[in-house]
């Protein structure tokens, strides 16, 4: 097939670098039951940096009691504050209190989150879609009023885009309306999440085609879960449609605690392997990403989710 | 993207039914260490039939000592000989002795195998590529000379097409030459195997584009291993290029005993789920396929390889 697609993928390779955001330390770990020590997290993040990954979401500034796994956020951020990689770290921020802490800690990149699903917002963050959008607007204003050197890059995560465990189908128009609003508020960096891993490539393609009619596709990253084994195929079709930005977690760790059986982000090393086999260059080392995950996984005490990590694990013995 | 691709996939959906061959009972089980009893195999195959799968490779007529897991081949075939599903069963045949047994047992569909990799043939079946082709030619001749009612459908498996653990890259031309020869001998049904699961979608697309220049694509089935997590993405790109026939194993059981760490066929239920999410109809029930695999897996005593089966398993409790 398809002169057209090939040209597109060549374009991706040559003109626009692939952007991979590693979300294992936050999105991944948040959903793992076994408590991981600060030392082990630092080791994990150090290994990820060594693999060549640039952007890493390392924690979230939530109330300590809310997510025990991330209760060491301030210590973790303090540890890395003077690290050469600091400017590439992202922190998930739920509200203005968190954002104020982020400013104190000199964080450079912050992510906010919402969803077009009314019920998911209610159960996940105990607010309506509108309330959650207001909260984001407040945070954007707060950030915009900071002195230039303190202003942070912002990204918004939109989750449950392809379906919600409580609401079922979530009409794409609802997501598009949120994006429209967020663009007006100055957000230019979005992550679209299939949070329960329900989408197949056809849905992803349909969504992205519609998205392209309204918005500039370079502003969007895709975030897939591999719940039903479709993760890498969904990454592939996104790449074909023109997406160049993805977020994923080393080893495929994580999931969504609010959605039954939705465990497993798509694995960063498999995403990289896919791109490598496309001939794309300047990528992180998938084997080193896998090794970071394998090392961490010894602490998590459950089978590796990533097939590529399983492969590397077997073949290193 | 891509008017062109969409039309193609619509074409697949409307004009040409998808063909799925389940190879779990042979290719899958052959590579599982735990010996599965005849009763458990029959239960597995019965569940697969109930799922709506038509074609099933159920065993191989090899010497008993060669593959202990399949040493009950004759009993298994005897059990199903008068079953309404009999005409949809396939049996892998290594040589003329096996083929004679197949005739005695009234088998309807036989598969032969070879590979363009010289070293893999040597280590796997202890013969050169040429010797293995001669053996296939003998079997074809033998089958052709049978009375019409005894003549069996034939398929040839070509393995290690995208790479070999001993030889490394296997030039596509070598595979094309074998196909050319086999076509001259009257074979019209081929299975192309990424036996060590090394291919990415780009390689699969490149191969299939070249294949299409020489041969009629409807004569080819694709068989992927999910060793590095690329299995479903490879199925997707094959579908895009025009392949309508796939072979896979329920639960992703199996692997290749001669290739380190190459465990895991792509899972039939994930292949079906992919097609279902494309809007294709008249497919087997992926949940029932998964249930067949889950039931069998209780006997195999290792974690399920298929993510979709893992999902169904978690959510049925």
């Amino acid at each position: 097939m398809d002169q057209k697609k090939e040209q597109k993928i060549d374009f991706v390779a040559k003109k626009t670098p692939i952007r991979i955001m590693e979300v294992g330390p936050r999105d991944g770990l948040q959903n793992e039951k076994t408590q991981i020590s600060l030392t082990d997290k630092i080791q994990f993040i150090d290994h990820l940096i060594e693999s060549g990954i640039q952007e890493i979401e390392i924690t979230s500034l939530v109330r300590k009691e809310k997510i025990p796994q991330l209760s060491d956020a301030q210590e973790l951020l303090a540890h890395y504050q003077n690290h050469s990689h600091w400017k590439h770290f992202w922190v998930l921020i739920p509200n203005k209190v968190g954002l104020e802490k982020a400013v104190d800690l000199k964080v450079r990149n912050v992510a906010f989150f919402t969803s077009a699903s009314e019920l998911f917002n209610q159960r996940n963050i105990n607010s309506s879609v509108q309330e959650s959008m207001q909260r984001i607007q407040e945070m954007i204003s707060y950030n915009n009023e900071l002195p230039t050197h303190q202003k942070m890059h912002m990204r918004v995560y939109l989750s449950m885009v392809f379906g919600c465990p409580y609401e079922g189908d979530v009409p794409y128009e609802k997501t598009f309306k949120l994006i429209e609003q967020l663009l007006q508020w100055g957000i230019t960096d979005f992550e679209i999440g299939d949070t329960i891993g329900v989408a197949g490539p056809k849905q992803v393609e349909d969504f992205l085609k519609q998205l392209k009619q309204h918005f500039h596709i370079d502003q969007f990253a895709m975030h897939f879960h591999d719940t039903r084994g479709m993760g890498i195929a969904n990454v592939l079709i996104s790449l074909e449609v023109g997406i160049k930005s993805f977020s994923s977690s080393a080893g495929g760790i994580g999931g969504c605690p609010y959605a039954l059986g939705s465990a497993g982000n798509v694995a960063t090393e498999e995403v990289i392997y896919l791109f490598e086999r496309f001939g794309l260059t300047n990528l992180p080392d998938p084997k080193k990403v896998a090794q970071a995950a394998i090392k961490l996984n010894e602490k998590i005490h459950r089978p590796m989710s990533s097939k590529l990590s399983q492969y590397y694990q077997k073949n290193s013995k």
Side-chain angles (χ1 to χ4, degrees), chain A:
Chain A
M1 121 189 85
D2 306 331
Q3 216 55 28
K4 217 172 154 192
K5 195 189 78 190
E6 252 191 70
Q7 281 166 4
K8 223 169 271 162
I9 291 178
D10 275 358
F11 171 78
V12 170
K14 285 172 195 154
K15 301 277 170 64
T16 327
I18 290 286
R19 181 179 173 194
I20 294 172
M21 189 186 292
E22 165 65 37
V23 299
R26 197 285 302 173
D27 188 33
L29 282 183
Q30 166 170 348
N31 298 306
E32 295 292 347
K33 281 178 202 159
T34 316
Q35 190 72 24
I36 304 297
S37 72
L38 181 61
T39 313
D40 289 335
K41 279 179 200 170
I42 290 170
Q43 190 188 50
F44 179 45
I45 294 165
D46 285 348
H47 287 158
L48 290 169
I49 295 169
E50 283 162 31
S51 77
I53 288 182
Q54 283 223 316
E55 294 178 270
I56 308 175
E57 186 196 43
I58 59 168
T59 191
S60 175
L61 285 163
V62 284
R63 272 187 291 123
K64 292 196 179 207
E65 61 278 21
K66 191 88 199 288
I67 304 172
Q69 184 69 274
L70 305 180
S71 60
D72 55 10
Q74 302 206 34
E75 293 90 320
L76 187 69
L77 290 168
H79 173 85
Y80 280 109
Q81 227 168 36
N82 298 309
H83 194 283
S84 60
H85 212 83
W86 180 247
K87 64 176 180 289
H88 301 299
F89 287 144
W90 287 80
V91 180
L92 184 68
I93 306 290
N95 52 36
K96 224 181 103 188
V97 178
L99 196 61
E100 287 165 353
K101 274 192 217 153
V103 175
D104 290 344
L105 288 156
K106 302 189 172 57
V107 168
R108 301 311 310 129
N109 309 287
V110 287
F112 312 139
F113 60 93
T114 187
S115 163
S117 160
E118 205 57 69
L119 288 177
F120 181 70
N121 269 292
Q122 275 168 29
R123 306 217 186 167
N124 191 22
I125 51 177
N126 202 22
S127 61
S128 68
V129 175
Q130 214 197 329
E131 284 163 352
S132 126
M133 285 291 279
Q134 276 167 1
R135 207 174 294 161
I136 290 176
Q137 192 185 15
E138 273 171 37
M139 292 193 280
I140 295 170
S141 302
Y142 180 89
N143 187 43
N144 285 343
E145 285 159 21
L146 289 171
T148 311
H149 72 281
Q150 286 187 313
K151 269 194 185 56
M152 296 166 279
H153 293 111
M154 298 178 286
R155 169 179 270 208
V156 174
Y157 299 167
L158 296 159
S159 63
M160 301 293 171
V161 169
F162 299 96
C164 165
Y166 314 114
E167 260 185 49
D169 283 346
V170 179
Y172 297 160
E173 292 70 34
K174 285 193 176 179
T175 296
F176 295 156
K177 274 192 188 147
L178 297 186
I179 294 168
E180 192 68 57
Q181 182 64 81
L182 290 160
L183 278 165
Q184 283 169 17
W185 294 341
I187 296 294
T188 54
D189 193 354
F190 299 91
E191 183 197 277
I192 302 293
D194 179 18
T195 320
I196 53 167
V198 74
K202 179 77 166 74
Q203 286 69 54
V204 174
E205 190 179 26
D206 289 347
F207 172 83
L208 288 175
K209 276 181 180 171
Q210 289 182 43
L211 185 83
K212 274 168 96 170
Q213 288 172 6
H214 301 289
F215 309 107
H216 198 307
I217 199 154
D218 282 351
Q219 299 182 324
F220 295 89
M222 299 303 290
H223 175 85
F224 294 110
H225 281 236
D226 204 19
T227 318
R228 293 166 182 82
M230 300 297 117
I232 290 293
N234 287 338
V235 171
L236 172 63
I237 208 132
S238 303
L239 184 75
E240 287 179 357
V241 181
I243 290 284
K244 288 149 223 147
S245 184
F246 297 90
S247 79
S248 53
S249 81
I253 59 166
C256 177
Y258 305 97
L260 195 65
S262 75
N265 284 287
V266 70
T268 306
E269 62 274 28
E270 291 184 355
V271 174
I272 299 168
Y273 185 83
L274 174 77
F275 296 157
E276 233 184 39
R277 298 292 291 177
F278 259 100
L280 307 192
T281 52
N282 288 322
L283 295 163
D285 181 341
K287 198 163 184 176
K288 285 191 178 162
V289 175
Q291 279 157 353
I294 290 165
K295 206 86 193 133
L296 177 78
N297 207 66
E298 289 165 10
K299 314 280 161 37
I300 292 180
H301 309 299
R302 64 180 184 89
M304 296 289 290
S305 152
S306 155
K307 300 231 167 130
L308 187 57
S309 279
Q310 284 173 22
Y311 170 79
Y312 286 136
Q313 199 167 24
K314 265 187 235 163
N315 286 279
S316 70
K317 274 173 190 167

